[in-house]
Amino acid sequence: KSVQFSFWMALCGGILGPFLDSYHSAFSVLRYDDPIKFILSPLGGSSQYPVLTTAWWVPELFGLAGFLIGWLYILYDQIFETQSSKTKPNAPFILTCISFFTFQYWLSGLLYQGHFDRATILFVMSFMAAT
């Protein structure tokens, strides 16, 4: 069961990661020497504003992060003896959490582009994560 969970966490991280990374590219938080850009004109993308901008190694890195975070959940649930009902959230709750995390990624890029200092961005992100 743990292996299957870890596989899904790594796969989801590898898929979601480039899209989150693309928010930071769009807001000029980061730039790659050799970016991979997906224009996708039907979705409103253009050469100046691609739908997705990332690097070849981003899916692997986010996949690894998903794997590690998944194992930390397994480990901490055992250490802190988390109730079984809390270790098996329903799909709407999971999607809500992913949406909120995605919003935080987008907002951090927007705040950076708005020239907010790093301490303010960190405070806003920490406050949102704690609520």
Side-chain angles (χ1 to χ4, degrees):
K1 185 175 179 181
S2 298
V3 173
Q4 183 181 13
F5 175 75
S6 297
F7 168 78
W8 285 110
M9 288 292 291
L11 182 65
C12 290
I15 292 170
L16 182 61
F19 290 96
L20 297 174
D21 182 62
S22 193
Y23 283 140
H24 283 170
S25 295
F27 288 115
S28 300
V29 174
L30 53 82
R31 294 190 193 279
Y32 295 113
D33 291 333
D34 296 312
I36 298 170
K37 295 183 179 187
F38 293 93
I39 306 294
L40 303 175
S41 298
L43 296 178
S46 66
S47 58
Q48 187 177 3
Y49 300 107
V51 172
L52 179 70
T53 302
T54 192
W56 67 266
W57 46 266
V58 169
E60 291 89 343
L61 189 61
F62 274 86
L64 177 61
F67 176 84
L68 294 174
I69 290 168
W71 271 101
L72 286 174
Y73 271 107
I74 292 169
L75 178 67
Y76 287 145
D77 284 346
Q78 289 179 352
I79 290 172
F80 296 113
E81 298 175 356
T82 306
Q83 297 173 7
S84 178
S85 61
K86 290 187 176 184
T87 62
K88 298 176 184 170
N90 59 32
F93 181 76
I94 293 169
L95 293 174
T96 299
C97 292
I98 292 171
S99 297
F100 187 72
F101 181 70
T102 301
F103 172 72
Q104 287 181 294
Y105 235 89
W106 174 84
L107 182 60
S108 69
L110 184 67
L111 292 173
Y112 178 86
Q113 189 179 48
H115 304 289
F116 285 84
D117 62 278
R118 292 180 191 268
T120 301
I121 296 171
L122 179 61
F123 173 77
V124 170
M125 295 300 109
S126 298
F127 178 77
M128 290 178 69
T131 57

